[in-house]
Amino acid sequence: MLGLYLHVPFCSAICNYCNFNRGLFDAELKARYVEALISEIARSGEAVLKGGATMAGADTIYFGGGTPSLLEPEEIHRIIRACEASFDIAADREVTLEANPESVSEPRLRGFRDAGVNRLSVGVQSFREDELRRLSRLHSADRARAAIDDARAAGFDNVSLDLMMWLPGQNVGQWLESVDRAIAIAPEHLSLYMLEVYPNAPLREEMARARWSQAPDDDAAEMYGEAMARLEAAGLEQYEISNVARRGRRSRHNLKYWTDGEWLGFGPGAHSTREGVRWKNTSSTEEYIDRVRAGAALAVDLRRLTPDERLGDALFTALRLVDGIDGNAIQTRYGVDVWRRYGADLEPFIEAGCLRRDGARLSLTRQGMLVAHEIMTVFV
Ligand code: SF4
């Protein structure tokens, strides 16, 4: 089953640390973008039908951004209907909408739910006012809390929160305050990200001016380890480096990225991977709209992956999961014995306590999760 990703490239303000593909909200541009997005989805369905093939099946739809909650419920409704017209969408679909606390209210959330959204991912980032201000976020901690209450009142029973750790000037105790407040809210799912300050991020200059720094590496490791321990004690099981969930509430859409699945991305800058081919749409929203209107190709970077690249990607992403790499499944799908090919390079990580080998299965230890990038380079 495919996952469908829909990119919404608008935000009410641009955060000082962000390097996503997004721009400032503009109602007129948004209206043109929605029409283009619907056309792109329809075009994708037509291509299938013209080829005489049966409609492709999909079981997840994910509105990511940017800030998808800036779209109107009626627009979300039309986009989901466009997906249903072009794909055979499973009855038990997961339809996620990323939302920022300041752009939702109970009536709007009810509208999203009526439109077919059944999972909400709320960009909380922190429950501390000083940290939210430092990140130039528009919402307050109280608004974040109220947004979750609104979501519950609107009938959402599958809510995920995003939190960011290792923020400038943040110590271990301050980070754990946000973790505890998140636990008290009892979400079904949580994503924890470590802040990465990119070289040209405005936050970098602000940090220099205000003399804020990120805590030492040992503190970052403690932030991560202690947060995971508290979340697990609260019934939120870790299933991926950055993600925890209650039973049955893992992100089915994101699991496609980590389990060698296939997905189609729509909208500016969206990535797709299908049948060994990977492509990316043009990133500029204006150019995207023009190309859709002209019936021109949208992919700016399309290539067939080599068998080795496919294998490398499958291993690289599987290692993000707590369950790790299933060597038997890789042998069946790619005809490769993982340990025979990579064992010599992986052995030092096992000795260092970062990697665990259990029969044909290879997985990261929690300590290994902190240096995952280093280990993953063995595969790519
Ligand atoms: S709301 Fe999210 S996507 Fe938008 S600017 Fe902030 S971090 Fe980036």
Side-chain angles (χ1 to χ4, degrees), residues 179-195:
V179 173
D180 288 343
R181 288 197 65 184
I183 289 172
I185 286 173
E188 281 68 35
H189 187 282
L190 251 154
S191 301
L192 312 179
Y193 299 107
M194 282 213 181
L195 173 70

Side-chain angles (χ1 to χ4, degrees), residues 237-282:
E237 187 187 13
Q238 185 181 14
Y239 69 100
E240 196 266 351
I241 290 181
S242 304
N243 288 278
V244 302
R246 296 201 188 282
R247 191 174 297 273
R249 295 304 199 177
R250 296 178 177 191
S251 164
R252 284 163 57 196
H253 183 82
N254 287 337
L255 276 167
K256 291 187 194 293
Y257 303 140
W258 303 317
T259 55
D260 210 7
E262 298 194 324
W263 60 92
L264 293 179
F266 299 96
H271 291 256
S272 304
T273 297
R274 196 174 184 195
E275 292 168 1
V277 181
R278 179 162 295 170
W279 67 98
K280 176 182 177 267
N281 279 357
T282 179

Side-chain angles (χ1 to χ4, degrees), residues 10-11 13-15 17-20 22 65-67 100 125 137:
F10 305 108
C11 292
I14 303 302
C15 303
Y17 59 91
C18 176
N19 78 337
F20 295 127
R22 77 298 177 258
T67 308
N100 280 348
Q125 316 312 351
R137 298 294 304 207

